[in-house]
Amino acid sequence: MIPTHRMKILVTGAGGQVGLDLIRRLRGQGHEVHGSDVIERPAGADSDLPWHRLDVTDPAMIDALLGEIKPEWIFHLAALLSARGETRPQLAYAVNQTGTFNILEGCRAHGVERLLFTSTIAVFGPGLPSPVPDEVPLLPTTMYGITKVSGELLGAYYHRRYGVDFRAVRFPGLISATLPGGGTSDYAPLMYIEGLRSGSYEAFCRPDTRIPMMYMPDGIRALAELAACPREQLSRSVYNIAAFSPTAQEIADSVMQALPEVSITFAPDPARQAILDSWPDALDDSLARADWGWSPEYDLDQMTAALLPEVKALVREIATAT
Ligand code: SER
C-alpha cells in the first residue's frame, strides 16, 4: 500500500528484535526510512537502507542526527530489555529512561511531528485483574518496567505540553525468527530457534508460566497502524494490544507437535521466573480494537506454522556464518 503522504521516518534501536521487520514494512508502504543504533548496520539490513550510528544517551548526537535527517516521525525502539536490564540496571536507566527523555527533547527541539514508542507488559506489576485493562496502577518490579512507565508518562507530558504526537503500544512478548536479546520472554522464540538448531531446548521458566505473547508480524502491523491512525480517533496515547496467552508448556507442545524430533524441557531460573510471575497473564485490548481497529491475525498454532520455515532459514544463516 502506498500512503498518501510519504513520511520521512527515523527508527532508533533499529538493530534490535523489532527494528528490521518494522523497517521492511514501512519501506514497503513507500516511506523514506532511516535506521539508527549504537551497533553497526546489521547483516540483515537492506543494503540501500540509510544507517546512522546513534547512542540515545548522547543528546548532542541526537541533535545532530535530527538536524541532518529532519524526520517527520520517529519510531523509538532503543532499549535494554528486562533480563539484561536486571543485570545492568544503571545502563538500562541510561538507555531507556534518559534515552527516551533525550529523544522527546529532540522531537520538541526539531519539530518532529509524531513519536511512536514501544511499551510493554513489563509496565505492570503483580496482583492485577486478568485480563488487565489499560488504566491500572503501574507498579513494575524491574528497572525495564520502571523506565517504560516513565517513557509512557513523559510521552503524555510532551504531548500535552509541547504537542508532540506521542503514541505507544504495550507489546506482549514478541516471537519471531530473529535472535532475541536480553528479554525475559525469550524462552518462547528460543523454543523454536534452539529446537530447530540443536534439537532440544531447556526453558528457563516453569511449564505453567503464562504471559501474553504475539507473533512479530502482528506486532509490526500494530505499530504501523497506530502510527497511521488520525489522532482524533485516539482516546489515549498508550494502548494494550493482545494476541494469545499460552502457557510455556502450550508453546512447547505446539513446537513439538510440528517437530516431533525436538525435545523441550524446563529448568526454571529463579530470577527470570520472578519477573515472569510479576507480569499479567492476559491483556485487555478492547480500547485499541475500538479506537483504531486493532485485531491480531495469528493464534499460537497459526504462528507456529508461519514461523517454522522462517526459523529454518535463520538456522541455515547461523550455520553458514559460523
Ligand atoms: N519481551 C520483553 C522482555 O522480555 C517484554 O517486553 O523483556
Side-chain angles (χ1 to χ4, degrees), residues 148-187:
K148 289 289 184 176
V149 171
S150 160
E152 291 185 1
L153 295 173
L154 281 169
Y157 179 85
Y158 273 69
H159 181 218
R160 278 194 311 276
R161 179 77 194 259
Y162 299 114
V164 176
D165 186 351
F166 174 87
R167 306 167 178 206
V169 289
R170 289 185 183 136
F171 273 143
L174 290 169
I175 304 176
S176 68
T178 305
L179 279 178
T184 312
S185 59
D186 289 1
Y187 65 87

Side-chain angles (χ1 to χ4, degrees), residues 42-64:
D46 296 344
S47 55
D48 63 342
L49 172 74
W51 189 266
H52 309 266
R53 222 191 76 76
L54 180 67
D55 176 352
V56 295
T57 66
D58 181 345
M61 229 175 158
I62 293 174
D63 188 55

Side-chain angles (χ1 to χ4, degrees), residues 81-82 120 144 183-185 279:
L81 292 180
S82 56
T120 162
Y144 173 66
T184 312
S185 59
W279 289 349

